[in-house]
Amino acid sequence: MRTKFLIPFLMSGLIWFSSCNSDSDSNGTARLQVRMTDAPGDYEEVNVDIRSVQIHKEDTDSESGWLTLDEINPGIYNLLNFANGADTLLASADLPAGTISQIRLVLGENNSIKLKGSNERIALKTPSGQTSGLKVKINADLKEDVTYVVLLDFDAAKSIVARGNGQYNLKPVIRTITQAVAGGIRGKVTPAEAKPGIYVISAENDTIGGFANVNGDFLIKG
């Protein structure tokens, strides 16, 4: 029996497991989630209007290379709600395995801040974000059948620039962290005619599994 272990470099708490018994689930894709967190800033609110999340597979600015993630949670996000380790899911998608070079956030017009001790929201000017979007270099290598999380770590304190006339600009300072959070075990059993069951038992005695297909191939995710 030949097996191939798809082991991420960082495993987090897994909350679900799945298995398959055919090649139909192995189509050369990886799962990508884009989440957002924040380094605290000295404001009551820092509100960012996120409309779309896109990725680019080449290290160029060619518009033809941008791909919009299809599972998007658009809305106005107060960055300060996601400080001290909290985060939120912005978008996700199943993507062809391979390298992604950039992420772009397309912003709406409803970006604002609220200063400490004030009830007034002040509009943030984000000319570049409202036209071409905010581009962040990432250079992540997505392996087949592995789930990844790209964490966009906003620095709220450094992202707000006072203009000196009571107005403010949003010039995001973003750090990216890429984690593989779930992998799988792929293999082939011979003879396939035996129609074997495949089981994986963890150190905590949790058992997951499935059956090989007619060719003896199997893939157990999670």
Side-chain angles (χ1 to χ4, degrees):
M1 179 175 71
R2 300 197 306 273
T3 59
K4 177 183 178 183
F5 292 84
L6 309 169
I7 301 178
F9 66 86
L10 177 61
M11 297 297 291
S12 69
L14 303 180
I15 59 174
W16 58 267
F17 301 90
S18 66
S19 64
C20 71
N21 60 4
S22 73
D23 281 342
S24 60
D25 284 352
S26 176
N27 54 6
T29 64
R31 183 71 176 170
L32 179 68
Q33 297 181 357
V34 178
R35 308 186 73 91
M36 183 173 65
T37 188
D38 171 55
D42 193 24
Y43 302 95
E44 289 287 347
E45 297 177 6
V46 178
N47 301 302
V48 179
D49 183 7
I50 297 179
R51 299 288 98 198
S52 178
V53 180
Q54 303 171 347
I55 63 99
H56 205 301
K57 296 184 69 68
E58 299 175 1
D59 195 13
T60 71
D61 288 329
S62 171
E63 285 301 313
S64 63
W66 287 102
L67 175 66
T68 300
L69 303 189
D70 52 7
E71 300 173 30
I72 176 70
N73 297 311
I76 299 173
Y77 293 86
N78 179 7
L79 297 181
L80 303 188
N81 288 337
F82 310 111
N84 301 315
D87 63 49
T88 188
L89 179 64
L90 295 180
S92 59
D94 292 317
L95 300 173
T99 300
I100 57 174
S101 63
Q102 300 177 76
I103 286 182
R104 179 164 68 181
L105 300 181
V106 179
L107 302 186
E109 298 180 353
N110 297 312
N111 305 287
S112 65
I113 61 169
K114 183 187 289 187
L115 302 179
K116 285 287 183 80
S118 172
N119 292 321
E120 178 187 4
R121 287 191 177 92
I122 303 172
L124 288 171
K125 305 299 182 181
T126 56
S128 62
Q130 290 172 1
T131 54
S132 62
L134 305 172
K135 299 174 185 176
V136 182
K137 295 284 187 179
I138 181 170
N139 292 321
D141 189 19
L142 307 184
K143 301 294 186 183
E144 180 181 351
D145 300 320
V146 178
T147 298
Y148 295 86
V149 170
V150 174
L151 189 64
L152 303 179
D153 186 4
F154 270 80
D155 190 326
K158 295 180 180 179
S159 297
I160 308 301
V161 179
R163 300 172 60 185
N165 55 359
Q167 297 182 332
Y168 295 82
N169 284 346
L170 175 63
K171 295 186 176 180
V173 176
I174 304 174
R175 182 170 64 106
T176 63
I177 304 167
T178 304
Q179 302 174 336
V181 297
I185 300 175
R186 179 196 301 281
K188 186 179 186 70
V189 178
T190 56
E193 293 78 10
K195 299 180 180 179
I198 313 298
Y199 297 95
V200 179
I201 303 173
S202 74
E204 291 77 23
N205 291 321
D206 292 327
T207 301
I208 60 175
F211 291 89
N213 66 10
V214 294
N215 297 314
D217 301 310
F218 68 88
L219 169 63
I220 299 176
K221 296 182 178 180

